[in-house]
PDB file of all heavy atoms in Angstrom:
ATOM      1  N   ASN A  59      -6.416  14.380 -22.164  1.00 90.00           N
ATOM      2  CA  ASN A  59      -6.953  15.393 -23.079  1.00 90.00           C
ATOM      3  C   ASN A  59      -6.539  16.782 -22.600  1.00 90.00           C
ATOM      4  O   ASN A  59      -6.245  17.664 -23.385  1.00 90.00           O
ATOM      5  CB  ASN A  59      -8.476  15.278 -23.171  1.00 90.00           C
ATOM      6  CG  ASN A  59      -9.141  15.467 -21.829  1.00 90.00           C
ATOM      7  OD1 ASN A  59      -8.601  15.054 -20.806  1.00 90.00           O
ATOM      8  ND2 ASN A  59     -10.291  16.092 -21.806  1.00 90.00           N
ATOM      9  N   SER A 146     -20.716  17.509 -14.439  1.00 90.00           N
ATOM     10  CA  SER A 146     -21.991  16.893 -14.052  1.00 90.00           C
ATOM     11  C   SER A 146     -21.883  16.149 -12.729  1.00 90.00           C
ATOM     12  O   SER A 146     -22.881  15.949 -12.038  1.00 90.00           O
ATOM     13  CB  SER A 146     -22.461  15.947 -15.145  1.00 90.00           C
ATOM     14  OG  SER A 146     -21.487  14.946 -15.340  1.00 90.00           O
ATOM     15  N   LYS A 240       3.983   6.441 -21.069  1.00 95.00           N
ATOM     16  CA  LYS A 240       4.024   6.337 -22.532  1.00 95.00           C
ATOM     17  C   LYS A 240       2.640   5.976 -23.032  1.00 95.00           C
ATOM     18  O   LYS A 240       2.020   5.029 -22.525  1.00 95.00           O
ATOM     19  CB  LYS A 240       5.002   5.241 -22.959  1.00 95.00           C
ATOM     20  CG  LYS A 240       6.441   5.673 -22.914  1.00 95.00           C
ATOM     21  CD  LYS A 240       7.289   4.775 -23.798  1.00 95.00           C
ATOM     22  CE  LYS A 240       8.559   5.498 -24.182  1.00 95.00           C
ATOM     23  NZ  LYS A 240       9.121   5.025 -25.421  1.00 95.00           N
ATOM     24  N   LEU A 242       0.494   4.224 -25.410  1.00 92.00           N
ATOM     25  CA  LEU A 242       0.637   3.125 -26.369  1.00 92.00           C
ATOM     26  C   LEU A 242      -0.726   2.469 -26.567  1.00 92.00           C
ATOM     27  O   LEU A 242      -1.218   1.787 -25.674  1.00 92.00           O
ATOM     28  CB  LEU A 242       1.651   2.097 -25.848  1.00 92.00           C
ATOM     29  CG  LEU A 242       3.077   2.604 -25.652  1.00 92.00           C
ATOM     30  CD1 LEU A 242       3.918   1.583 -24.906  1.00 92.00           C
ATOM     31  CD2 LEU A 242       3.712   2.913 -26.991  1.00 92.00           C
ATOM     32  N   GLN A 253       9.703  -5.311 -23.275  1.00 93.00           N
ATOM     33  CA  GLN A 253      10.851  -6.195 -23.510  1.00 93.00           C
ATOM     34  C   GLN A 253      12.123  -5.406 -23.814  1.00 93.00           C
ATOM     35  O   GLN A 253      13.224  -5.855 -23.506  1.00 93.00           O
ATOM     36  CB  GLN A 253      10.540  -7.154 -24.655  1.00 93.00           C
ATOM     37  CG  GLN A 253       9.478  -8.179 -24.272  1.00 93.00           C
ATOM     38  CD  GLN A 253       9.156  -9.095 -25.431  1.00 93.00           C
ATOM     39  OE1 GLN A 253       8.770  -8.643 -26.510  1.00 93.00           O
ATOM     40  NE2 GLN A 253       9.300 -10.380 -25.232  1.00 93.00           N
ATOM     41  N   GLU A 256      11.967  -0.156 -22.155  1.00 94.00           N
ATOM     42  CA  GLU A 256      11.496   1.230 -22.182  1.00 94.00           C
ATOM     43  C   GLU A 256      10.347   1.451 -21.198  1.00 94.00           C
ATOM     44  O   GLU A 256       9.983   2.589 -20.904  1.00 94.00           O
ATOM     45  CB  GLU A 256      11.042   1.593 -23.602  1.00 94.00           C
ATOM     46  CG  GLU A 256      12.208   1.636 -24.571  1.00 94.00           C
ATOM     47  CD  GLU A 256      11.779   1.613 -26.022  1.00 94.00           C
ATOM     48  OE1 GLU A 256      10.600   1.873 -26.304  1.00 94.00           O
ATOM     49  OE2 GLU A 256      12.628   1.319 -26.878  1.00 94.00           O
ATOM     50  N   GLN A 405     -17.892   7.259 -32.477  1.00 74.00           N
ATOM     51  CA  GLN A 405     -18.350   8.534 -31.922  1.00 74.00           C
ATOM     52  C   GLN A 405     -19.865   8.619 -31.782  1.00 74.00           C
ATOM     53  O   GLN A 405     -20.390   9.540 -31.182  1.00 74.00           O
ATOM     54  CB  GLN A 405     -17.807   9.728 -32.728  1.00 74.00           C
ATOM     55  CG  GLN A 405     -18.333   9.861 -34.124  1.00 74.00           C
ATOM     56  CD  GLN A 405     -17.496   9.079 -35.135  1.00 74.00           C
ATOM     57  OE1 GLN A 405     -16.812   8.139 -34.778  1.00 74.00           O
ATOM     58  NE2 GLN A 405     -17.565   9.461 -36.394  1.00 74.00           N
ATOM     59  N   ALA A 409     -24.695   7.763 -28.448  1.00 83.00           N
ATOM     60  CA  ALA A 409     -25.977   8.249 -28.957  1.00 83.00           C
ATOM     61  C   ALA A 409     -26.888   7.077 -29.320  1.00 83.00           C
ATOM     62  O   ALA A 409     -28.103   7.140 -29.113  1.00 83.00           O
ATOM     63  CB  ALA A 409     -25.749   9.141 -30.167  1.00 83.00           C
ATOM     64  N   PHE A 441     -27.086   6.864 -16.787  1.00 87.00           N
ATOM     65  CA  PHE A 441     -26.746   6.848 -18.212  1.00 87.00           C
ATOM     66  C   PHE A 441     -27.037   5.478 -18.823  1.00 87.00           C
ATOM     67  O   PHE A 441     -27.437   5.376 -19.978  1.00 87.00           O
ATOM     68  CB  PHE A 441     -25.264   7.198 -18.373  1.00 87.00           C
ATOM     69  CG  PHE A 441     -24.803   7.114 -19.791  1.00 87.00           C
ATOM     70  CD1 PHE A 441     -25.108   8.131 -20.687  1.00 87.00           C
ATOM     71  CD2 PHE A 441     -24.085   6.018 -20.250  1.00 87.00           C
ATOM     72  CE1 PHE A 441     -24.694   8.052 -22.009  1.00 87.00           C
ATOM     73  CE2 PHE A 441     -23.665   5.942 -21.565  1.00 87.00           C
ATOM     74  CZ  PHE A 441     -23.970   6.960 -22.442  1.00 87.00           C
TER      75      PHE A 441
ATOM     76  N   ASP B  33     -23.339  14.087 -29.975  1.00 85.00           N
ATOM     77  CA  ASP B  33     -22.457  13.038 -29.433  1.00 85.00           C
ATOM     78  C   ASP B  33     -21.164  13.634 -28.901  1.00 85.00           C
ATOM     79  O   ASP B  33     -20.662  13.218 -27.862  1.00 85.00           O
ATOM     80  CB  ASP B  33     -22.111  12.014 -30.522  1.00 85.00           C
ATOM     81  CG  ASP B  33     -23.353  11.381 -31.104  1.00 85.00           C
ATOM     82  OD1 ASP B  33     -24.252  11.072 -30.323  1.00 85.00           O
ATOM     83  OD2 ASP B  33     -23.418  11.236 -32.335  1.00 85.00           O
ATOM     84  N   THR B  41     -20.510  10.741 -19.490  1.00 77.00           N
ATOM     85  CA  THR B  41     -21.767   9.995 -19.644  1.00 77.00           C
ATOM     86  C   THR B  41     -22.852  10.440 -18.662  1.00 77.00           C
ATOM     87  O   THR B  41     -24.032  10.229 -18.915  1.00 77.00           O
ATOM     88  CB  THR B  41     -21.511   8.501 -19.439  1.00 77.00           C
ATOM     89  OG1 THR B  41     -20.812   8.324 -18.208  1.00 77.00           O
ATOM     90  CG2 THR B  41     -20.681   7.931 -20.575  1.00 77.00           C
ATOM     91  N   SER B  42     -22.441  11.039 -17.542  1.00 77.00           N
ATOM     92  CA  SER B  42     -23.474  11.372 -16.557  1.00 77.00           C
ATOM     93  C   SER B  42     -24.102  12.753 -16.786  1.00 77.00           C
ATOM     94  O   SER B  42     -24.979  13.164 -16.035  1.00 77.00           O
ATOM     95  CB  SER B  42     -22.890  11.288 -15.141  1.00 77.00           C
ATOM     96  OG  SER B  42     -21.678  11.993 -15.070  1.00 77.00           O
ATOM     97  N   THR B  83      -8.973  19.140 -26.018  1.00 84.00           N
ATOM     98  CA  THR B  83      -7.765  19.603 -25.328  1.00 84.00           C
ATOM     99  C   THR B  83      -7.680  21.123 -25.220  1.00 84.00           C
ATOM    100  O   THR B  83      -6.845  21.639 -24.484  1.00 84.00           O
ATOM    101  CB  THR B  83      -6.499  19.129 -26.081  1.00 84.00           C
ATOM    102  OG1 THR B  83      -6.471  19.775 -27.367  1.00 84.00           O
ATOM    103  CG2 THR B  83      -6.504  17.625 -26.274  1.00 84.00           C
ATOM    104  N   LYS B 159      18.830  -4.435 -28.724  1.00 91.00           N
ATOM    105  CA  LYS B 159      18.711  -3.147 -28.007  1.00 91.00           C
ATOM    106  C   LYS B 159      19.539  -2.039 -28.669  1.00 91.00           C
ATOM    107  O   LYS B 159      20.098  -1.165 -28.006  1.00 91.00           O
ATOM    108  CB  LYS B 159      19.091  -3.292 -26.532  1.00 91.00           C
ATOM    109  CG  LYS B 159      18.226  -4.318 -25.806  1.00 91.00           C
ATOM    110  CD  LYS B 159      18.231  -4.124 -24.317  1.00 91.00           C
ATOM    111  CE  LYS B 159      17.549  -5.252 -23.563  1.00 91.00           C
ATOM    112  NZ  LYS B 159      16.167  -5.495 -23.903  1.00 91.00           N
ATOM    113  N   ALA B 163      12.237   0.766 -29.264  1.00 92.00           N
ATOM    114  CA  ALA B 163      11.057   0.048 -29.768  1.00 92.00           C
ATOM    115  C   ALA B 163       9.903   0.994 -30.014  1.00 92.00           C
ATOM    116  O   ALA B 163       9.042   0.731 -30.855  1.00 92.00           O
ATOM    117  CB  ALA B 163      10.646  -1.027 -28.765  1.00 92.00           C
ATOM    118  N   THR B 164       9.865   2.076 -29.256  1.00 91.00           N
ATOM    119  CA  THR B 164       8.761   3.038 -29.388  1.00 91.00           C
ATOM    120  C   THR B 164       9.301   4.446 -29.188  1.00 91.00           C
ATOM    121  O   THR B 164      10.409   4.638 -28.698  1.00 91.00           O
ATOM    122  CB  THR B 164       7.674   2.800 -28.307  1.00 91.00           C
ATOM    123  OG1 THR B 164       8.295   2.886 -27.028  1.00 91.00           O
ATOM    124  CG2 THR B 164       7.004   1.448 -28.455  1.00 91.00           C
ATOM    125  N   VAL B 259       2.330   1.438 -34.269  1.00 83.00           N
ATOM    126  CA  VAL B 259       3.239   0.390 -33.808  1.00 83.00           C
ATOM    127  C   VAL B 259       4.400   0.983 -33.013  1.00 83.00           C
ATOM    128  O   VAL B 259       4.834   0.422 -32.008  1.00 83.00           O
ATOM    129  CB  VAL B 259       3.780  -0.414 -35.015  1.00 83.00           C
ATOM    130  CG1 VAL B 259       4.887  -1.365 -34.583  1.00 83.00           C
ATOM    131  CG2 VAL B 259       2.661  -1.181 -35.677  1.00 83.00           C
ATOM    132  N   ALA B 261       4.355   4.062 -31.610  1.00 86.00           N
ATOM    133  CA  ALA B 261       3.865   5.111 -30.702  1.00 86.00           C
ATOM    134  C   ALA B 261       4.473   6.460 -31.048  1.00 86.00           C
ATOM    135  O   ALA B 261       4.994   7.173 -30.193  1.00 86.00           O
ATOM    136  CB  ALA B 261       4.163   4.744 -29.252  1.00 86.00           C
ATOM    137  N   ASN B 271      -7.168   9.437 -33.943  1.00 87.00           N
ATOM    138  CA  ASN B 271      -7.799   9.710 -32.652  1.00 87.00           C
ATOM    139  C   ASN B 271      -8.856  10.796 -32.756  1.00 87.00           C
ATOM    140  O   ASN B 271      -9.909  10.709 -32.117  1.00 87.00           O
ATOM    141  CB  ASN B 271      -6.731  10.119 -31.625  1.00 87.00           C
ATOM    142  CG  ASN B 271      -5.884   8.944 -31.220  1.00 87.00           C
ATOM    143  OD1 ASN B 271      -6.359   7.821 -31.195  1.00 87.00           O
ATOM    144  ND2 ASN B 271      -4.621   9.175 -30.928  1.00 87.00           N
TER     145      ASN B 271
END
Side-chain angles (χ1 to χ4, degrees):
Chain A
N59 60 325
S146 60
K240 281 201 158 206
L242 298 170
Q253 291 178 303
E256 292 164 16
Q405 67 272 23
F441 176 78
Chain B
D33 302 318
T41 52
S42 49
T83 65
K159 301 201 189 302
T164 57
V259 171
N271 288 329

